[in-house]
Structure formats: structure tokens, C-alpha cells
Amino acid sequence: MSAAPAPRPDTEGPGEAGPEGTRAATTLEVHGGVRVIGGTKVLVSTPRARVLLDIGEDIPSGVDLLRDPTRSRPRQALADALRLGAAPRIPGLFDPRALEAVGPGAEQLRVLADPDPRPTLVVLSHAHIDHDGLLPHLREDVRVLAHADTIALHRALEEAGATAPGTADRLEPLAEGTEVVVGDLSVRIHRVDHDVRGAVGTLVRAPDGVLAYTGDINLHRDGGTHTRAFLEQAHGADVLVAETTMLSFDPLPEEPRSEDEVARIVAETLAGSTDLMLLSAYERDVDRAARLIRAATQAGRTLVWPGVHAAVLAALGIGGVVTWDPTRPQGRRQRRAGELAVSRGARTTGLAEVAAAPGRFLVQIDPRDFASLLDLPLGEGSAWIHSQGEPLGPFMPDWPLWQDWLEHLGLATIPAGSSGHAGPAALHEIVGAVAPGRVIALHGFHPERLQVEGIPTLLPEIDVSIPLRPGAGRSAR
Ligand SMILES: [Zn+2]
């Protein structure tokens, strides 16, 4: 089946209520995640309400004009991003103060500051920056809903200094399966398996149909039990908005390994060396971190985290967290976070202990402080275990620098990760299980590769309105 172009809506678009007794069609607009990995944003609109699925930072699809060493200006981050086409032009969504700018294009930004008469609800699928990164710029009267675990993670990250302050407080918890009504739309979330606690799939019920949104999703983590339960709830939706991350690569990757397999590789690697070992793991994946702590303990090693990692893990109740004592020089942010971690029950260790028995330790690197590797007693059998932490991969700007450090230190790399995204076969299984009327493929370089017999795949463009029901019109049916 060939991919169909996004059909043009036959309505005049949202914002104008139909005459009494008629019902305007629900429309969808995609504002991110088009042929890039990440940044999905889908606006569902009726004349009476709006629901925005995710509000992450855009992933640059071409040249990133704000890459290091350039930074967007603190109070103009959103205005700069909008003028570069790197943020969604959704009217009545953003704080008017964040839209203030001077010079060319400033007037168009001011137009976005006009309030929309309809209530707007934002629903977060999970706590990753490409899904929640624009939160600090939202209008105060826009409600933002998320799973309680997402809010807890946000709070832990904020307190550790790992993300902008003030966002956790504006998130409202939404219990799994509970319906929230906004105008003539209603929203439900259901847990899915990804690589972060609190990840959900979302169902939006409109007067003329149902939309299901996967968020970021997989079937290989812990058996995919949460995901499968969501797919049952989503069965028969008119539209499924699906991520397609793992269809992006050539050749197509194999299905990702399970968390048990990750733990087994780490355990074997640690058992095979008597030297100090290094790790990079992702602090937001606290369940993986807990498994890595256990794997290290079983191998007779202590896993030592930088302060920020330790503070996040301790705040979320992970046991056995160890961070550095003041004998290891760390930057101010790491040191403060480390003190916070200790106040929450983390233990500390020092450079002398590590120097006395390097083979009894596994040390998480601080990707912003490679020079601190010079403090560590690395040996011939030392290696770097890469389990999704930063630098994430060759597509990251700090990857070549890290490779230079590895070469300088003579360290081998042990891949011990597993993606949080469904493999190619699992993605097709997900679409087949939902059996939607149509699938909107996003969040990948090759969304056109998501093809399931009998289910049309839509490849939307940014900002183009799509009716929830094909051929839906203004009059009641
Ligand atoms: Zn994502």
C-alpha cells in the first residue's frame, strides 16, 4: 500500500462554531516530529476545545543554528526558536512575555500572544525534553496533565538542577484510565513501556471520532505489558499517531534487547575485569539505573554516580545509591546535587577508596567533565560500558570529543544498551493491534516505512490541518 498525502480539510478550520444543530469536524495539526526523531506535537481542535499532545523542543531537521557555542538568549529562547522555525506557531498557547521580540518577525510573534477563546489542555506523554521541553513557555491558564511518575521525575530533576525550575509545580496528575473533559473533547492516558517511568499513550475522544497517540513506546521492555494494555484500549481508533524511531536507520535495526539481557552483559563485563570500569547510563531511566546498581553489587563492585545522577535516583527511592565525597573535585552543580543526594540517603565514597581497590568500583562518567577522568586509577583492563547515557551516540555533538578521550585513555567500549523505542517488527505489530482507520507516522526519518496492510499511512506536513474523519464536513451526520 502506498502512503497517501495528507488530505486537505473541507472545513474552514477551528475557531468558528457551526450554526446551531450542526457539528464541525475535529481537526488535527502536526507541529513537530515530521521526518525527525523526536519533538512530536499534535494539536486536536474542535470549535469548543483544544488538546495538545506533547510540548517538546523541536529537533532540528536541517542545520541547527543554535548549536554550541551559540545559545539562545535566556529571555528570548522561545521567540528565537519561533523565528528560526524551531517551535510550533500555535496561537494562544505561549506566555505573551516569552513572545516579546524586536526586529523583523516581531509582529507575527505578538499575534501568537492573543488568547484563544477555547480551553486548551496539554497532555505530556513522558518526561523527555523532545516531549516536554517547551513547558516553561506556556501561558499560565493552559492546563498541563501528566502521569504522577512523570511529575515526580520532573521534580527530582529540578531539585537536582538538571532541568529548568518551576515546571513540576504546574503539572497536574492524571490517573491512568481517568477521563478528563475539556469542552467537547475528553482525554485518557494509559501507561506504556518506554525507557522512563510515567510514559503513557493517550486517547482523545471527539464528537466525531477517537485519536490514539503512542507517545514513545516499545514492546520489549518488561514484556511490553503496559503497552499491550494500552493497545487494547486504543483498538479501533479512527487515527493512530505512531512514533517510527527505529524505522529511521539503514539497515533496519534488530529488535532491541531486553533489560535482563542488558543486565547480563553488564554483569559479564564486570566479572571479566579486575580493573576500574566506567559507565554511562541515563539518569532519567531510573529502573535501568536500579538494575545496574544491582548488577554492580552482584559483581562485588560499587557503582559511583556524579551528584546530579545520585540526587535524581535517591529522590525517586532507588536503593544503594553512592556518590562522591568531597575528596573528588566536582563542579558546583554536581557537588550541590551530591549533598542533596546524601540528605536523601545516598552514601559516599572517595578517591582513596577507589585507588585502593579499583576493581571494586564502577564509575558513571560526567559527560560535561571528561577531564575528571584524569583523577581515576584506570588500568589496562578498564573499559567504558555504554548503556544509553551521554554521549548517546555519533549524532551527538560531544561524541567525537568523547571518542578522543577514549583513545587517549586507551579504553575499549562495551555496548550494553537497549533502545526505549519499539523495533521495526514491533512497530508494525503495534499498528496491527490497534487496527486504526488511518495511521499518522511521525518521530522518525522514514515514517513512510510504517505500512500495514489495509491501514492507510498519512505523512503529514507541519501545520497542515487534517480531519479526524476522512471527508468529514461541517454538517451533522
Ligand atoms: Zn521522543
Side-chain angles (χ1 to χ4, degrees):
M1 171 172 311
S2 66
R8 287 270 167 183
D10 51 6
T11 68
E12 292 167 35
E16 189 187 329
E20 206 59 41
T22 67
R23 194 167 63 181
T26 304
T27 60
L28 318 175
E29 285 167 23
V30 173
H31 287 276
V34 173
R35 287 180 206 92
V36 290
I37 296 179
T40 306
K41 290 175 277 288
V42 178
L43 183 67
V44 184
S45 304
T46 74
R48 291 181 52 201
R50 302 192 298 177
V51 169
L52 177 62
L53 302 169
D54 281 338
I55 185 60
E57 287 182 3
D58 274 19
I59 304 296
S61 58
V63 175
D64 179 8
L65 292 169
L66 293 174
R67 70 182 181 277
D68 273 343
T70 300
R71 290 191 203 290
S72 48
R73 299 162 289 179
R75 269 184 296 279
Q76 296 199 55
L78 180 69
D80 288 347
L82 281 163
R83 288 192 288 185
L84 288 169
R89 286 185 174 261
I90 301 175
L93 180 69
F94 294 117
D95 185 337
R97 286 167 298 183
L99 295 165
E100 283 169 14
V102 293
E107 187 50 40
Q108 286 95 311
L109 296 189
R110 264 193 290 280
V111 171
L112 296 179
D114 292 340
D116 191 286
R118 296 165 292 176
T120 301
L121 196 64
V122 176
V123 186
L124 297 188
S125 67
H126 61 289
H128 280 169
I129 197 156
D130 64 311
H131 295 265
D132 66 12
L134 296 179
L135 270 179
H137 307 303
L138 293 180
R139 295 177 67 91
E140 278 169 15
D141 55 0
V142 169
R143 291 174 68 194
V144 188
L145 304 180
H147 190 279
D149 287 348
T150 293
I151 300 174
L153 181 53
H154 257 273
R155 186 153 285 126
L157 289 164
E158 279 180 34
E159 287 169 359
T163 188
T167 51
D169 277 344
R170 68 166 303 161
L171 300 179
E172 289 179 46
L174 177 56
E176 187 168 9
T178 302
E179 201 150 60
V180 167
V181 176
V182 54
D184 52 358
L185 296 172
S186 72
V187 172
R188 264 189 301 153
I189 57 171
H190 292 272
R191 288 277 310 278
V192 296
D193 299 284
H194 183 34
D195 59 9
V196 66
R197 282 186 185 175
V200 296
T202 308
L203 298 174
V204 182
R205 188 175 298 279
D208 52 350
V210 174
L211 173 141
Y213 169 45
T214 60
D216 288 356
I217 196 167
N218 70 58
L219 282 173
H220 58 265
R221 185 125 177 188
D222 302 322
T225 47
H226 294 301
T227 294
R228 286 179 205 284
F230 165 67
L231 300 180
E232 257 174 52
Q233 297 290 330
H235 183 81
D238 295 278
V239 167
L240 173 67
V241 178
E243 66 126 319
T244 59
T245 307
M246 295 293 263
L247 301 178
S248 299
F249 311 106
D250 290 299
L252 285 178
E254 292 179 7
E255 300 303 300
R257 51 173 78 98
S258 68
E259 292 303 290
D260 285 345
E261 185 74 353
V262 169
R264 189 188 61 75
I265 294 169
V266 171
E268 281 177 7
T269 303
L270 295 179
S273 171
T274 53
D275 280 312
L276 178 66
M277 299 295 273
L278 303 180
L279 172 72
S280 50
Y282 186 35
E283 79 271 16
R284 295 193 187 199
D285 189 351
V286 298
D287 295 314
R288 166 87 55 88
R291 278 172 171 267
L292 292 168
I293 291 170
R294 279 200 299 276
T297 304
Q298 281 160 14
R301 292 178 185 251
T302 299
L303 171 44
V304 192
W305 302 94
V308 169
H309 288 71
V312 171
L313 296 174
L316 293 171
I318 302 302
V321 177
V322 177
T323 188
W324 296 103
D325 70 16
T327 60
R328 181 156 196 223
Q330 291 192 98
R332 199 169 62 155
R333 191 175 73 115
Q334 294 285 14
R335 217 172 47 238
R336 278 198 186 154
E339 287 161 10
L340 182 65
V342 169
S343 77
R344 289 187 168 134
R347 290 182 296 116
T348 60
T349 193
L351 280 176
E353 284 94 324
V354 177
R360 303 194 67 82
F361 289 90
L362 169 65
V363 170
Q364 164 84 24
I365 64 157
D366 174 359
R368 290 188 188 80
D369 189 12
F370 291 144
S372 68
L373 290 164
L374 298 170
D375 304 341
L376 297 174
L378 297 167
E380 269 182 17
S382 293
W384 174 53
I385 299 172
H386 189 213
S387 188
Q388 250 81 38
E390 290 180 56
L392 268 172
F395 47 88
M396 299 290 282
D398 52 352
W399 183 261
L401 175 61
W402 176 232
Q403 295 302 306
D404 290 344
W405 273 94
L406 291 178
E407 195 184 326
H408 175 78
L409 299 169
L411 290 167
T413 302
I414 313 290
S418 174
S419 173
H421 299 280
L427 277 174
H428 287 85
E429 186 183 338
I430 285 166
V431 176
V434 174
R438 293 172 295 164
V439 60
I440 291 180
L442 295 172
H443 199 292
F445 296 146
H446 288 293
E448 75 283 357
R449 292 176 176 169
L450 187 62
Q451 298 293 341
V452 173
E453 185 68 37
I455 301 169
T457 298
L458 300 190
L459 303 171
E461 297 300 329
I462 294 284
D463 239 354
V464 175
S465 186
I466 303 169
L468 177 59
R469 280 271 174 101
R474 181 166 282 274
S475 54
R477 285 182 302 272

